[in-house]
Amino acid sequence: MPKPRIEFWYDFASTYSWLSAIRVEALTRNVDCDIAWRPFLLGPIFKAQGWTTSPFNLYPAKGRYMVRDIARIADARGLVFVMPDPFPANSLTAGRLAIAVGNDHIGDFTRRVYEVQFETGADISQRGTLEPILQAMGLDVTAMIAASETTAVKDTLRNNTAEAQSLGIFGAPTFVTADGELFWGDDRLEQACAWAHKAERA
Amino acid sequence: MPKPRIEFWYDFASTYSWLSAIRVEALTRNVDCDIAWRPFLLGPIFKAQGWTTSPFNLYPAKGRYMVRDIARIADARGLVFVMPDPFPANSLTAGRLAIAVGNDHIGDFTRRVYEVQFETGADISQRGTLEPILQAMGLDVTAMIAASETTAVKDTLRNNTAEAQSLGIFGAPTFVTADGELFWGDDRLEQACAWAHKAERA
């Protein structure tokens, strides 16, 4: 029987996606699921609902709560959360690079980008942040940067974002099961895995 | 040693508050916490951030997701979720009545109002919905309605809403511990209880 597959939709600037990105691979392995890494951009989706920035900036009470909520969860998991400035980071380059590195490396790249951003506060819009990650992974930095600037890669990220919007995704992380169910938030990851198995058996 | 106390802040129109209202008393009893029922109105808080209705109506993708999310959680807990129309209900009368019935009855009243709203779809802005609840509880309906229209009760609900806003509350349910930590959402209730005990020992 094939393993049930969960799509993990994320924007690199999303704090709650950090919490998922660093545990999703171990968790899905434990519960015998496959994972599809689906980077996209929240910006165009926010813009379509009239927002010019993250709701965490538009609604300061919500933003303050998010920082505290993330810090508490991180602490419970033995992590240290460092809020980057500016927030949200421009995640375009990171999103394109995630596609450029290919299926074999996207999980590792994604995790490293989130870690440097939310565990050390680095600005992931900067090449100076992203290039050392490619290098540490043993990838050809120049080739990867060049690939990330091709029309094919740009189109893939744009298409991902359009697909996210058409799926009804409005925030990140969102987990999508094969039968089209959406689960929004790191706190729904376990539920998404259980659902994927249930759908598989149905 | 006194039990740690959790404030349960809720607006009667809130779907996620239903999920908490019907389990918070049993849960807090199990984990040896006290609960303070704190009804308030989200309307003025939404208005202060420029919203004229619930974000679930302003952002349809989010609204559709909420209905599905609630239905899945309800199903897992053996509940049937019925979305009331109109949504959100005007929760002013229910909020005032919750205060009018007093501390001995507020938990029971609150639970019943949520049940009739989200398990049968009743419109809780209507006296025809609320009066049978008072009656079933063995309360003096006329006296309770009269009490709910006094300046003292109106002021208490207004003050609750102002206090919620000053605490940084932006949605419901929100659980607040004695040391001022906020936990937003039914899915944070267990965490709030654990925190309350930790704070008590500190």
Side-chain angles (χ1 to χ4, degrees), chain A residues 10 12 37 39 92-107 109-110 134 137 139-157 160:
Chain A
Y10 57 98
F12 273 104
W37 301 83
L92 181 66
T93 306
R96 287 176 177 169
L97 272 172
I99 291 160
V101 299
N103 283 342
D104 286 353
H105 300 292
I106 189 170
F109 177 79
T110 296
L134 297 169
M137 290 173 64
L139 298 172
D140 181 334
V141 176
T142 313
M144 289 299 128
I145 297 288
S148 76
E149 290 167 348
T150 60
T151 304
V153 165
K154 290 179 179 177
D155 282 351
T156 301
L157 185 60
N160 279 4

Side-chain angles (χ1 to χ4, degrees), chain B residues 76-115:
Chain B
R77 296 183 188 172
L79 300 163
V80 173
F81 171 51
V82 179
M83 188 67 175
D85 182 21
F87 176 83
N90 183 321
S91 53
L92 181 65
T93 306
R96 287 176 177 169
L97 271 172
I99 292 161
V101 299
N103 284 341
D104 286 352
H105 300 292
I106 189 170
D108 191 19
F109 177 78
T110 296
R111 235 184 353 262
R112 288 170 184 256
V113 171
Y114 276 114
E115 284 170 353

